[in-house]
Amino acid sequence: MVIDTNGFNPGEGPGLYLHVPFCQSKCRYCSFYSEPLARFEPAPVIAAMIAEMDQYDTTQVATLYIGGGSPSVLPCDLLLRLVGHAAARCPAALEFTVELNPGQTGAALFHDLRRAGVNRISLGAQSFIQFELDLLGRIHTPADVDRAVRQARDAGFENISLDLIFAIPGSTLDSWKCSLDAALALAVPHISAYSLTWEDGTLLSDDLAAGRVVQIDEETDRVMYELAIDAIAADGLKQYEISNFARPGYECRHNLNYWSNGDYLGLGPAAASCRKGVRTLNVADLAAYTRAVESARTPVAESEILTPLERACETAVLNLRRRQGIDLVQFKKQTGFDAMSLFASSIQIHREQGFILCEGGRVFLTQQALAIADSILCDFADV
Ligand code: SF4
């Protein structure tokens, strides 16, 4: 399971993502496509996902990721059918992650997943403060996260990741520190920490517009992020991407492939794929998706062919999310472009401001650039 931490290796093979489009209820901040399980029959959708998988040669898939939605909301036999089929169809997979909601797990589920070939668990902890979980509309408690980690370990999982969210309305530096401490006390080898994003059309954005909640100010958001970087690093997890931290060898290979701009295939309703410069998006509708697959039609609703220049820009933006940044030799091999020439003016501007370094054949963001990374990356999105 140990991987080369300097090796963002697009040659490792494509990733396969399975989007389970069901949740128990909608979290107040979430804009992902998912439907409440109580209102739909999941079996035909999962059968269609399995049939969609069978349309592809997946023998070279290097990483598998079942996310959503909430895979753990499915009846256990249905989730295991999907897991078992994916494992059988992807014999070369080195990493097999399933995303779980801590409020929907039990000892038996972890044992079943482990036996079925899953070797990495991602738990949506988000916060260890009950008030914040309630505000986000999460269905679990902080105690559920502790129990889920313990049960995962008991079932033989070492590779466990926790997702955390900061800058939640009503949170403070102290409450964020409490969540970080609680997460670090669980001694998992991987943590993802994201600032809350305000997506249009979510219940939380409606609350904001109506004045029912107040957004955390930019400065506090930045201090919370830096607090996370310092606290997590002090615990021995290395920041390898803007929002991701891991003990050596526990970086998420599936996402490393994504940040390398490697190919990935997404299956299921609303799943996105990008293969050989063609980006596609499956239809975000359970009935339309299932009907399309059952009648041997494509469930793809949108498709876009990227030009070589667009691919190069996309590769640069994704690469710069990693702390090791753009590997100039790899970039040239992958895109045909010389990154130093292609992005000469953006590199120069941000170098002068101390936000970018060019060293050892790589171009990467400095520590001080991380909190404003999105605005810097915009300058690489087109030339
Ligand atoms: S469980 Fe995840 S996918 Fe489902 S509503 Fe909540 S955040 Fe969205």
Side-chain angles (χ1 to χ4, degrees):
M1 180 51 76
V2 173
I3 65 172
D4 174 5
T5 54
N6 293 312
F8 33 88
N9 180 4
E12 195 166 75
L16 175 63
Y17 176 77
L18 296 161
H19 183 80
V20 175
F22 300 104
C23 288
Q24 186 171 316
S25 57
K26 199 76 190 161
C27 298
R28 301 182 68 76
Y29 59 100
C30 177
S31 64
F32 291 126
Y33 175 68
S34 70
E35 302 283 2
L37 185 72
R39 298 228 309 267
F40 294 88
E41 175 49 59
V45 179
I46 300 304
M49 288 174 67
I50 286 173
E52 192 189 8
M53 206 183 320
D54 289 344
Q55 292 172 7
Y56 295 91
D57 175 3
T58 51
T59 50
Q60 299 307 310
V61 162
T63 62
L64 265 163
Y65 196 108
I66 301 186
S70 305
S72 47
V73 78
L74 291 174
C76 198
D77 60 328
L78 215 46
L79 175 58
L80 291 173
R81 200 179 308 162
L82 187 64
V83 166
H85 198 82
R89 296 273 308 170
C90 304
L94 302 160
E95 179 186 271
F96 188 172
T97 304
V98 178
E99 217 170 62
L100 300 171
N101 186 318
Q104 294 166 335
T105 57
L109 176 65
F110 286 114
H111 282 282
D112 287 342
L113 291 174
R114 193 79 190 99
R115 267 195 297 270
V118 176
N119 59 13
R120 185 171 183 274
I121 293 292
S122 175
L123 290 166
Q126 318 308 3
S127 168
F128 285 80
I129 308 292
Q130 188 61 53
F131 157 78
E132 294 175 6
L133 291 172
D134 293 343
L135 189 129
L136 293 175
R138 300 291 305 185
I139 57 159
H140 69 275
T141 65
D144 287 332
V145 183
D146 293 353
R147 180 190 41 75
V149 170
R150 201 179 56 247
Q151 289 175 335
R153 284 213 176 97
D154 289 348
F157 287 101
E158 291 168 38
N159 199 349
I160 301 169
S161 177
L162 295 181
D163 281 357
L164 297 175
I165 296 178
F166 59 91
I168 299 167
S171 65
T172 61
L173 285 175
D174 281 344
S175 72
W176 174 228
K177 176 107 182 34
C178 281
S179 281
L180 281 169
D181 287 347
L184 293 170
L186 291 170
V188 293
H190 191 283
I191 290 178
S192 304
Y194 295 94
S195 174
L196 178 70
T197 46
W198 295 84
E199 304 283 355
D200 286 348
T202 61
L203 295 167
L204 203 58
S205 288
D206 292 348
D207 286 345
L208 183 68
R212 289 187 290 269
V213 294
V214 177
Q215 199 167 352
I216 295 291
D217 65 89
E218 247 177 61
E219 175 60 11
T220 308
D221 189 312
R222 184 185 62 76
V223 176
M224 286 178 165
Y225 177 53
E226 287 169 356
L227 187 66
I229 293 174
D230 292 345
I232 300 173
D235 213 58
L237 278 73
K238 189 172 160 203
Q239 185 178 23
Y240 70 103
E241 192 267 349
I242 291 171
S243 304
N244 284 275
F245 306 81
R247 292 199 195 288
Y250 289 91
E251 297 83 357
C252 176
R253 302 171 93 123
H254 184 80
N255 286 338
L256 281 173
N257 175 59
Y258 174 70
W259 296 313
S260 298
N261 211 7
D263 284 356
Y264 58 92
L265 173 65
L267 304 178
S273 302
C274 194
R275 292 181 308 140
K276 302 194 178 1
V278 181
R279 200 156 35 198
T280 58
L281 190 63
N282 279 358
V283 63
D285 180 285
L286 297 185
Y289 169 80
T290 309
R291 262 198 319 270
V293 178
E294 281 173 352
S295 51
R297 284 182 289 113
T298 175
V300 169
E302 291 172 33
S303 172
E304 185 188 5
I305 299 172
L306 302 176
T307 65
L309 183 59
E310 285 170 333
R311 286 178 80 176
C313 291
E314 193 176 76
T315 302
V317 169
L318 290 167
N319 286 180
L320 284 169
R321 294 195 62 88
R322 309 175 305 203
R323 291 308 313 272
Q324 60 272 71
I326 300 170
D327 177 312
L328 295 171
V329 172
Q330 173 61 38
F331 186 87
K332 177 91 176 83
K333 203 160 80 184
Q334 195 175 341
T335 68
F337 289 91
D338 177 72
M340 292 303 287
S341 313
L342 190 59
F343 303 110
S345 77
S346 297
I347 290 173
Q348 190 192 343
I349 292 166
H350 293 300
R351 236 174 148 174
E352 282 167 10
Q353 291 175 323
F355 294 144
I356 274 188
L357 276 178
C358 305
E359 275 176 19
R362 294 184 295 117
V363 178
F364 53 96
L365 299 186
T366 60
Q367 184 83 19
Q368 73 179 110
L370 295 176
I372 52 159
D374 286 345
S375 67
I376 296 172
L377 297 188
C378 279
D379 291 338
F380 290 80
D382 56 54
V383 287

